[in-house]
Amino acid sequence: QQNDLVAYTPSHKSVNTTSKVAFNTAYLNTVNHQDFAKKIQTFQNAVANYNIKASDIYQPKSNDNYVVNFDEGGNHITAVYDKNGQLLTCLENYKGIKLPYDLASKLTKDYPNWGIEKVDCKIQYSNQKQQPLIVYQVVMNNENKTKKITLEL
């Protein structure tokens, strides 16, 4: 198993996704939600378009899988690609994101007078499963009280 580290920044040329079709479209079709924060969608596009074969550690005669770490700000994705560049699994961690509107609306109705202070999100993807596991960890506050809520989708 090979490891590769990628520091993703919006101007990183090798993962610019504005003019090409994603290589791992099955991943994007599985994890893509219209209500995801823009930074999640941008980061997922970088993962879907990563070309392991262009990496310095790629060995064409090897049958190894490759672990690639993507970091940007407080966000982190660990992706495992096979020798052909297909995404096998992905563990995504996002900090300080915007909660999708429908979930935020439900929380504000369920917890009147409470505000949403912080939202983190974890997504577990496997090409062997039809749906990813999406978990939002929400911190809510009401004056000097704090409440932690976990939402699994």
Side-chain angles (χ1 to χ4, degrees):
Q1 188 165 337
Q2 298 288 322
N3 291 310
D4 200 5
L5 178 63
V6 174
Y8 173 74
T9 59
S11 63
H12 195 279
K13 302 259 189 264
S14 68
V15 292
N16 185 347
T17 62
T18 56
S19 63
K20 63 182 177 180
V21 176
F23 180 68
N24 283 290
T25 55
Y27 161 71
L28 285 181
N29 291 336
T30 302
V31 298
N32 194 6
H33 293 274
Q34 292 293 337
D35 285 346
F36 269 159
K38 185 72 172 165
K39 69 174 154 181
I40 290 178
Q41 293 175 5
T42 301
F43 216 24
Q44 288 175 335
N45 280 327
V47 171
N49 285 298
Y50 184 75
N51 183 359
I52 194 68
K53 293 179 179 182
S55 171
D56 291 341
I57 63 165
Y58 179 72
Q59 298 174 8
K61 294 180 182 179
S62 173
N63 286 326
D64 288 342
N65 292 333
Y66 297 86
V67 176
V68 182
N69 292 299
F70 296 82
D71 289 294
E72 186 268 324
N75 307 309
H76 178 80
I77 297 178
T78 299
V80 179
Y81 298 88
D82 69 10
K83 69 175 188 164
N84 298 315
Q86 289 296 315
L87 185 60
L88 302 175
T89 63
C90 195
L91 179 59
E92 307 175 34
N93 290 289
Y94 302 99
K95 303 263 184 215
I97 63 160
K98 182 180 172 187
L99 193 62
Y101 178 79
D102 59 334
L103 295 176
S105 294
K106 182 176 178 357
L107 279 181
T108 55
K109 287 178 187 171
D110 291 349
Y111 300 95
N113 301 320
W114 287 79
I116 297 173
E117 183 178 318
K118 180 182 174 193
V119 179
D120 294 339
C121 179
K122 292 184 181 189
I123 302 170
Q124 294 178 358
Y125 165 82
S126 169
N127 68 349
Q128 301 295 309
K129 296 182 180 177
Q130 288 186 335
Q131 293 292 338
L133 174 63
I134 302 170
V135 178
Y136 288 98
Q137 296 169 325
V138 182
V139 176
M140 299 184 76
N141 62 6
N142 181 346
E143 295 181 17
N144 60 351
K145 297 180 222 165
T146 300
K147 186 179 298 234
K148 294 181 182 180
I149 299 169
T150 300
L151 306 169
E152 285 189 27
L153 306 180

